[in-house]
Amino acid sequence: MNIVRYSIASSMLLALAATGCAGADENGQFTDESGQVSDGKTIEKGVEGADQAPNGFTFAPERASNEKSPNPTDLFPKGSVTLTLGSTFYTQVTIPAFGTVTYETSNRVGSADPVLALFIRTNPWGGAFGGSPFTAKGQANTLAYNDDGAGNLNSRLTYHNPDGAPRVAYLVAFAYGNSTGQVDLSGYGTIQLRAGSTFIQTNAGQIYTSNSSGDPWLLAIDTDLASGAGNTCWNDDSPNGGTTESLIQNYTNKTMWVVAHAYSGSGTTTINY
């Protein structure tokens, strides 16, 4: 998985689990962390310092919890699901000091079922989302998320900035399950929902992809909205090396939206959790 708008309500906050997580736009325009618009050109993997991913991803989430590490004998998948793999709609937004933003979808086409999420980076490790190092983890603090808040399967997300300074956040839109398709997003016009998702309870200690027909960039959004939880994570290529499959580790007992975002390609991927 470019949206600076002040209209889509309903809070869904994400926060991603404990110590270790590992880490598109339809408007053809992407915004980096400095607030400048890039040309959205695709970068090549392995190019050091590349700071703009295809599909406009440019974020890097953070942080760790005090949760105990899972017992090694528990690190086996408890379930799996096959999802549509594709680029996630993603954009950078600036929320004014003490301001409120609302984002909303409408005009669904066919079976499209959108989910919206808003988060803020917490550990900018030096590379943008979509840039090298591709085996790195990224973490973020979920500000809000919503599914179906606008009625008729549309989503509405609202967030109030409690700070006396602007906050740069990131808005993503993806499909519930495999209900991909087209919707309108307030302030951004028509967008495509290409990435599927699953809403799960993680209890295996890790989440990973397998049998992918493209290059997955797994995004896991924690629904714990506790302030500063910082438990939303992503990973492109497994830190274990030798594969383009994604691996996020140190997840236990977290209720997550797991999104089948693709670095490149499309098709399907199996999410193991």
Side-chain angles (χ1 to χ4, degrees):
M1 337 7 60
N2 308 19
I3 316 169
V4 181
R5 93 222 47 148
Y6 304 126
S7 74
I8 296 183
S10 180
S11 292
M12 288 175 56
L13 238 232
L14 9 158
L16 193 252
T19 74
C21 306
D25 185 317
E26 293 310 310
N27 300 319
Q29 208 173 25
F30 311 115
T31 308
D32 63 23
E33 296 163 48
S34 67
Q36 295 190 334
V37 175
S38 78
D39 59 7
K41 290 181 179 177
T42 300
I43 63 172
E44 283 188 24
K45 285 188 141 184
V47 177
E48 197 62 38
D51 60 6
Q52 178 61 52
N55 310 324
F57 281 78
T58 15
F59 64 77
E62 103 145 305
R63 106 178 242 150
S65 80
N66 296 321
E67 195 170 294
K68 291 182 179 179
S69 296
N71 187 306
T73 60
D74 293 334
L75 298 181
F76 297 98
K78 305 299 192 297
S80 64
V81 60
T82 298
L83 294 174
T84 301
L85 179 66
S87 58
T88 302
F89 180 88
Y90 170 92
T91 192
Q92 178 177 287
V93 299
T94 300
I95 306 169
F98 304 117
T100 299
V101 292
T102 300
Y103 306 98
E104 180 173 352
T105 65
S106 60
N107 299 322
R108 297 183 310 107
V109 175
S111 61
D113 187 348
V115 181
L116 297 173
L118 184 70
F119 54 85
I120 188 168
R121 295 174 63 165
T122 50
N123 73 329
W125 37 262
F129 187 87
S132 62
F134 298 98
T135 57
K137 68 180 180 181
Q139 290 175 266
N141 181 34
T142 304
L143 301 178
Y145 68 90
N146 180 260
D147 179 35
D148 298 347
N152 190 32
L153 299 183
N154 282 299
S155 296
R156 181 188 298 119
L157 177 156
T158 294
Y159 174 73
H160 175 73
N161 178 11
D163 295 344
R167 304 189 78 177
V168 176
Y170 303 88
L171 177 68
V172 294
F174 49 90
Y176 178 93
N178 286 315
S179 299
T180 57
Q182 177 178 297
V183 298
D184 287 348
L185 180 59
S186 55
Y188 293 86
T190 300
I191 65 170
Q192 302 297 322
L193 306 173
R194 296 191 176 101
S197 71
T198 183
F199 188 65
I200 60 173
Q201 177 74 27
T202 62
N203 56 11
Q206 59 186 14
I207 309 170
Y208 61 94
T209 63
S210 62
N211 302 316
S212 302
S213 56
D215 182 354
W217 190 297
L218 193 60
L219 171 64
I221 301 170
D222 193 352
T223 59
D224 177 4
L225 303 188
S227 177
N231 292 322
T232 286
C233 286
W234 70 76
N235 171 256
D236 178 15
D237 298 338
S238 169
N240 294 336
T243 179
T244 58
E245 297 285 4
S246 301
L247 169 64
I248 298 177
Q249 298 173 303
N250 300 324
Y251 270 87
T252 56
N253 300 318
K254 296 292 179 179
T255 303
M256 313 290 299
W257 281 104
V258 180
V259 184
H261 170 63
Y263 173 88
S264 63
S266 61
T268 61
T269 186
T270 297
I271 307 294
N272 305 276
Y273 57 90

